[in-house]
Amino acid sequence: MNQALHVMKKDAKRLRWAMIVWILIAAANAGLMVGRPAFELQGFGITMVFAQLTGLVSLIELVMMVLIVSWLVHEDPAVDREAFWLTRPIDPRRLSLAKIAVASAALIGVPLVAQLAVMRIFGVTAYDMARATPSILLGQGAWVMALMAGAALTPSLSRYAVFLVGVAGAFVLLTSTMIAAAVLSGDITASTARPEVLDPLPPLIAATVAIALCIAIVFVEYRYRRIKWGAALAAVGILLIVLLPMVWEPFHGRDLPDPDPGGWAQDEARVAPQIGSEPPNVSDEIDFGRRGESKKRIAIPLQLSGLPGDFYVRGVQAHSRFDAANGTVLSTAAEMVPVRRTGRSDDAQYGEVAAIQGALAKIPLRGRESVDEYELWPVVLSLTEREFAQFGRVAGKLTATLDFYLARASVAGAVPLAEPRSMTDSRRRMDIIGIDRRGDACTIDLRVVSVGAAFHPHYFSRDEFVLRNAGKGEAVSAGVHDGGLHSTSALGFLFGMASGGGGYGYDSIGPDGSGFSARASRYRFPPESPRGEASPAIDPAWVAGAELVRISISYAGHVTRSLTIENFRIAQ
Amino acid sequence: MTEGDPMDHAIVTSNLNCRYGAVKAITDLTLQVEAGTIFALLGPNGAGKTSTLRVLMNIIPPASGSASVLGVDSRKLGPDELATIGYVSENQHIPRWMTVDQLIRFCKPLYRTWDDSLCNTLLQQFDLPRDVRLGRMSRGMRVKAALVSSLAYRPRLLVLDEPFSGLDPVVRDDLVRGVLELAGEERWTVLISSHDLDEVERLVDAVGFIDGGRLVLSERFSDLHARFRRIDLTAPEWPSPPASLPTWLGVQRSGRLLRFIESRYVDGETERRIAAMAPEAVIDVQPMTLREIFIALVRRQREVSR
């Protein structure tokens, strides 16, 4: 252990200037993170400058991370036959331990401390910090240890750079090949109707496996100095990450019980599918593979009647069968297609506004009337061109089993319109950071601090905000302007750079909701109408008596219904 | 070399083979280095000297055969054994960001036998500034620093891979005096691979000659020096010049002069044998330097391989 400390002290001395730069980068990232909610609402110019600055700091961070790993490992390279340490009485296990300890302390510890400081500044509790820490640690740890493993397999910075470029190229090539193969074979069959469980555990397990294997590669290379062994370990690791999900359920995401919509869902007489009067919509099926004949999708206008006011259907999956008069049977399992409905005065965004209105009960919501929108119509048949030509105008019996996936809007909180006011739940804290009361409108800046636990699977959930004036018995919806900074990870940063974007920083929130982020959004009550139509005016007196209401929209389970149409014609 | 008690040998290899992919670097190398001696491993470029030293130091594994260093299988050399072995190679990557002082402070805790007074003596002897970064020093100064860090703990075995190549004569002389004389005084075992034969010659006890990965000879330098002689035969005319013997190397005839190297010279006896073969010839026998012997052996090997 003393020898490991001795080597660590030597490396710390060697890297002291790099460490100072690294700490400055961490401080800059932390500063950008703290300033982000304030800057990203300051108009296009400032937001762009801020985004470019964030991108620049992120680029420097990435380069420094690679350089520090190289300087650390190639100071005593594992696979160089002329390495100084090789012929000195240095235990390879202690040497690799020292390298990993320095890398962990500097490249994982420093950013973690900076992020915890940012969380503290934003008022995140110690408990929430502890909940978010595993995601941050493992996310950063996977990157650092992968870089360490790469460095352990190479003797010098130049070889290391070539190796990294090669790995990145191979990754892009492999990914694009897999995507192209999936697209061309037409095997992309993921359901979009049923919401996925957002489970942070699988990426954490993958990160843990990757970290363990990368550490093993570092130890093996220092102990045995055989590149082939390290490469074999890396191959085993990749296989493990690919194959483990097939045999171990937690690795690919846990199932959560479907939420129970309520007793009303059992009432088949009340809650039943209703077919609209519009004719079926026929569209071409997108098939990149073009392996066979092109297909037609036949979708019908279908509503689920009898839903409570605060519920709406967010997706439908249909398993259908069409019995033609001549005895031919056609079967289809499909989801929905968006169908444009112009000038509808209700259920914009597939009923979401109606659900928000339902959540507000008797207080009418203004500001979202008269909206052109797409509706999602269930696809009940998918036919080849030949089948379509043959049965397109033939009557038959359509039977379908329909799974309606529901979402529910509910009032999650309300605060008087004043600064500073906050609303919190288990994952988010929303602070009012600015109120601009104008003659006929009100703009509210909200800072949303999200802290996601690493071990908390959940269904999607998001927030809408309305202004409610209970005294006047009115509510108005909002138009929202998000900040312009979006990328969330180093990989996202790389892709962001490639696409001209940027911004990685310390925003570690993942698609599964784990990690930490602080962002700001600006809400304008009422929203500006895109067609120049009159918006409902709210004067200062109205605003003075208003409160900001947070509406939570979340997955609410599903109901299954059967549908039979005796004399169904595809083209009418 | 004579075979003795294995315990008397610091290094013993038996049928050692080493390869880099398809290229054979060492072939069936059997070698013994007596403890307390200075052994020079000689050979042309690409002969397998560096590979031999790397196998002995457990830097690369042997393909087959065995090597024992200080009584330990070379593949099992670990920190305990390396604490008693010093190694300096011409290509070794010493930490250039360190000053000499930092290098010494880093190395010192690694060795229980580190001798500060010897270290200071060596620093003075080599005229090494303590506070200059190794990266800013000349190659010769860096080699000196590496040597100090490899000698100050009084290693039982010192392995030197071309440490003097490319250095100017003054530095070479400094190093040879500093290292080999010290090793001789301390009775350390030294295995040195070098092209600087003139300097080595003064101090080596034994030499091994390696070519094409094979050990061509290995013997005490005194024996080698005694059995190699340059012989000039001058005769008024050569009606029937004597037939070349297998022990003669590099036979050249120029007019009345017949010149060759006798590789089995025995004082008096060789002259008598030659006189019997060419009674009218004047015999001039000259001793040879290690460099001359080395060149003769290399040329002989090339002739054989053709």
Side-chain angles (χ1 to χ4, degrees):
Chain A
M1 194 61 193
N2 284 339
Q3 194 174 78
L5 281 174
H6 184 59
V7 174
M8 285 170 68
K9 277 185 200 168
K10 185 258 294 180
D11 286 334
K13 193 172 181 63
R14 157 91 160 113
L15 296 173
R16 61 193 186 281
W17 293 111
M19 282 299 120
I20 289 170
V21 173
W22 180 250
I23 289 167
L24 288 175
I25 290 170
N29 259 325
L32 289 167
M33 184 79 177
V34 170
R36 175 177 177 164
F39 278 107
E40 66 183 344
L41 297 175
Q42 297 301 314
F44 179 75
I46 291 177
T47 302
M48 280 303 292
V49 169
F50 194 83
Q52 294 307 315
L53 197 60
T54 308
L56 181 65
V57 172
S58 300
L59 180 64
I60 296 170
E61 182 187 28
L62 193 66
V63 171
M64 274 307 291
M65 195 152 79
V66 171
L67 285 177
I68 288 173
V69 166
S70 171
W71 289 330
L72 180 65
V73 175
H74 297 140
E75 163 80 1
D76 301 296
V79 294
D80 184 358
R81 291 178 183 138
E82 295 294 344
F84 183 72
W85 72 273
L86 270 181
T87 52
R88 301 283 167 172
I90 296 173
D91 186 337
R93 289 166 299 185
R94 288 179 180 155
L95 182 62
S96 35
L97 180 69
K99 301 289 174 188
I100 287 168
V102 171
S104 301
L107 302 178
I108 303 172
V110 169
L112 176 67
V113 169
Q115 291 198 57
L116 292 176
V118 172
M119 286 190 214
R120 193 75 206 106
I121 289 168
F122 283 129
V124 176
T125 63
Y127 173 71
D128 283 340
M129 284 188 204
R131 289 198 315 156
T133 296
S135 294
I136 298 167
L137 268 182
L138 291 172
Q140 183 79 1
W143 275 97
V144 171
M145 290 308 151
L147 288 174
M148 288 288 289
L153 290 166
T154 52
S156 63
L157 176 59
S158 54
R159 296 269 189 91
Y160 183 44
V162 171
F163 173 84
L164 290 180
V165 169
V167 168
F171 176 77
V172 170
L173 196 67
L174 187 68
T175 310
S176 50
T177 304
M178 285 169 67
I179 292 171
V183 167
L184 292 174
S185 64
D187 286 341
I188 300 176
T189 55
S191 167
T192 54
R194 180 188 171 84
E196 284 181 33
V197 175
L198 303 175
D199 186 1
L201 194 57
L204 292 189
I205 295 173
T208 307
V209 171
I211 288 170
L213 276 155
C214 290
I215 289 174
I217 288 171
V218 174
F219 270 93
V220 164
E221 285 308 312
Y222 271 105
R223 175 69 183 81
Y224 300 103
R225 307 194 303 277
R226 307 280 193 278
I227 293 177
K228 284 180 185 170
W229 293 14
L233 257 179
V236 167
I238 292 167
L239 271 179
L240 209 58
I241 290 172
V242 171
L243 295 179
L244 213 52
M246 297 178 188
V247 293
W248 193 37
E249 194 171 320
F251 199 101
H252 62 85
R254 289 164 290 182
D255 280 334
L256 280 181
D258 226 24
D260 181 9
W264 54 266
Q266 310 302 321
D267 186 347
E268 294 201 10
R270 174 190 159 190
V271 181
Q274 297 280 327
I275 303 167
S277 57
E278 296 89 342
N281 177 278
V282 180
S283 60
D284 292 319
E285 192 168 291
I286 298 167
D287 179 8
F288 294 102
R290 292 283 175 215
R291 288 184 303 176
E293 288 180 77
S294 56
K295 285 192 160 184
K296 296 282 190 191
R297 296 178 302 189
I298 292 88
I300 59 172
L302 196 66
Q303 302 284 327
L304 189 64
S305 67
L307 284 178
D310 50 348
F311 280 78
Y312 72 97
V313 176
R314 68 179 298 276
V316 184
Q317 192 161 34
H319 296 266
S320 314
R321 171 188 163 116
F322 179 73
D323 291 273
N326 65 357
T328 305
V329 175
L330 305 170
S331 296
T332 299
E335 295 187 345
M336 308 151 295
V337 290
V339 175
R340 191 173 182 85
R341 304 291 302 276
T342 306
R344 300 269 297 187
S345 60
D346 57 1
D347 67 359
Q349 291 200 356
Y350 331 131
E352 183 183 293
V353 175
I356 293 172
Q357 175 65 79
L360 292 169
K362 293 177 181 172
I363 296 183
L365 178 67
R366 299 160 60 202
R368 278 207 179 173
E369 297 93 340
S370 185
V371 182
D372 282 0
E373 257 310 345
Y374 285 96
E375 280 184 359
L376 288 176
W377 287 20
V379 174
V380 289
L381 283 174
S382 175
L383 306 177
T384 64
E385 292 282 3
R386 196 169 33 181
E387 289 169 338
F388 183 71
Q390 192 176 352
F391 301 106
R393 297 186 183 280
V394 175
K397 180 182 173 187
L398 179 75
T399 52
T401 303
L402 302 159
D403 289 316
F404 294 88
Y405 293 95
L406 309 173
R408 183 181 190 185
S410 55
V411 174
V415 287
L417 214 51
E419 302 170 59
R421 288 282 179 168
S422 297
M423 286 180 276
T424 57
D425 67 10
S426 61
R427 293 205 307 275
R428 276 165 292 208
R429 205 186 80 192
M430 287 135 282
D431 300 312
I432 298 174
I433 55 172
I435 302 173
D436 182 12
R437 298 173 178 85
R438 301 179 196 168
D440 58 351
C442 174
T443 302
I444 297 174
D445 293 343
L446 268 186
R447 182 179 64 207
V448 181
V449 177
S450 305
V451 182
F455 308 104
H456 176 62
H458 56 279
Y459 287 107
F460 83 93
S461 156
R462 63 184 189 83
D463 292 332
E464 286 278 326
F465 291 91
V466 300
L467 272 189
R468 179 172 66 187
N469 188 317
K472 293 190 181 291
E474 282 182 331
V476 291
S477 60
V480 63
H481 163 69
D482 284 323
L485 308 168
H486 289 295
S487 272
T488 57
S489 66
L491 200 61
F493 157 72
L494 287 175
F495 288 125
M497 287 295 287
S499 62
Y504 147 45
Y506 281 164
D507 192 333
S508 61
I509 205 93
D512 49 38
S514 63
F516 165 71
S517 85
R519 299 175 188 178
S521 298
R522 175 164 291 163
Y523 293 85
R524 185 188 189 279
F525 299 91
E528 287 173 310
S529 169
R531 295 178 198 80
E533 294 166 9
S535 294
I538 50 173
D539 55 30
W542 195 99
V543 173
E547 58 183 354
L548 183 68
V549 180
R550 177 178 156 229
I551 310 282
S552 175
I553 296 166
S554 53
Y555 177 54
H558 79 283
V559 296
T560 303
R561 293 291 183 267
S562 297
L563 174 75
T564 303
I565 306 173
E566 287 293 346
N567 195 26
F568 180 75
R569 283 178 188 275
I570 295 167
Q572 296 178 354
Chain B
M1 287 187 70
T2 54
E3 299 223 357
D5 182 354
M7 295 303 288
D8 293 340
H9 294 110
I11 293 170
V12 177
T13 72
S14 175
N15 296 317
L16 196 65
N17 286 278
C18 169
R19 55 171 62 240
Y20 299 105
V23 180
K24 271 195 154 187
I26 310 173
T27 306
D28 294 330
L29 184 82
T30 298
L31 174 74
Q32 291 164 345
V33 176
E34 239 176 86
T37 61
I38 299 176
F39 187 101
L41 191 61
L42 311 177
N45 288 334
K49 302 187 298 293
T50 296
S51 296
T52 304
L53 301 192
R54 283 177 174 172
V55 170
L56 293 174
M57 292 302 296
N58 192 23
I59 294 172
I60 54 174
S64 62
S66 65
S68 157
V69 178
L70 298 176
V72 177
D73 186 333
S74 68
R75 285 168 294 195
K76 293 178 180 170
L77 281 187
D80 289 344
E81 292 77 28
L82 290 171
T84 62
I85 301 172
Y87 174 83
V88 177
S89 158
E90 62 169 337
N91 298 317
Q92 194 174 30
H93 300 153
I94 63 170
R96 288 167 159 246
W97 61 274
M98 286 186 184
T99 62
V100 173
D101 209 34
Q102 286 169 337
L103 179 70
I104 287 165
R105 271 188 280 148
F106 174 65
C107 291
K108 182 180 168 180
L110 302 174
Y111 300 95
R112 276 175 293 182
T113 56
W114 188 274
D115 184 339
D116 278 326
S117 64
L118 176 60
C119 179
N120 291 331
T121 304
L122 288 167
L123 286 173
Q124 282 182 349
Q125 187 180 341
F126 289 156
D127 199 20
L128 268 175
R130 285 173 170 266
D131 54 353
V132 176
R133 285 195 181 182
L134 294 165
R136 292 187 181 165
M137 288 182 166
S138 66
R139 191 173 164 276
M141 297 291 264
R142 281 202 295 273
V143 171
K144 284 180 180 179
L147 278 167
V148 171
S149 72
S150 300
L151 296 174
Y153 51 93
R154 299 183 184 278
R156 288 173 59 200
L157 170 65
L158 187 60
V159 179
L160 304 172
D161 184 11
E162 305 277 5
F164 312 133
S165 68
L167 303 183
D168 67 64
V170 178
V171 174
R172 272 207 307 252
D173 191 59
D174 281 353
L175 294 177
V176 171
R177 276 193 294 111
V179 177
L180 301 187
E181 287 175 5
L182 178 66
E185 288 165 14
E186 300 267 344
R187 300 296 298 156
W188 296 339
T189 306
V190 179
L191 174 59
I192 179 169
S193 139
S194 176
H195 283 134
D196 296 290
L197 306 174
D198 296 337
E199 284 83 358
V200 169
E201 180 176 1
R202 289 190 282 136
L203 297 151
V204 293
D205 298 310
V207 294
F209 180 72
I210 188 171
D211 192 31
R214 293 177 186 276
L215 189 69
V216 178
L217 68 83
S218 172
E219 64 186 298
R220 287 187 173 279
F221 178 63
S222 54
D223 297 343
L224 183 74
H225 192 253
R227 73 181 174 86
F228 273 81
R229 286 290 184 275
R230 178 181 303 283
I231 296 179
D232 288 352
L233 301 183
T234 312
E237 55 185 77
W238 293 106
S240 55
S244 180
L245 297 178
T247 57
W248 292 5
L249 310 179
V251 179
Q252 295 173 321
R253 192 179 154 192
S254 172
R256 294 184 300 143
L257 177 68
L258 181 70
R259 171 175 284 179
F260 61 89
I261 292 163
E262 172 58 84
S263 62
R264 293 287 173 203
Y265 177 77
V266 178
D267 192 15
E269 186 186 321
T270 302
E271 283 90 338
R272 278 195 296 278
R273 190 153 42 101
I274 293 170
M277 293 164 70
E280 70 280 20
V282 176
I283 305 170
D284 180 27
V285 178
Q286 294 293 331
M288 296 176 71
T289 64
L290 182 57
R291 173 183 294 280
E292 289 168 331
I293 297 170
F294 172 75
I295 292 169
L297 285 169
V298 170
R299 286 184 176 152
R300 171 59 175 249
Q301 280 303 115
R302 284 176 188 165
E303 284 169 15
V304 170
S305 61
R306 275 194 218 115

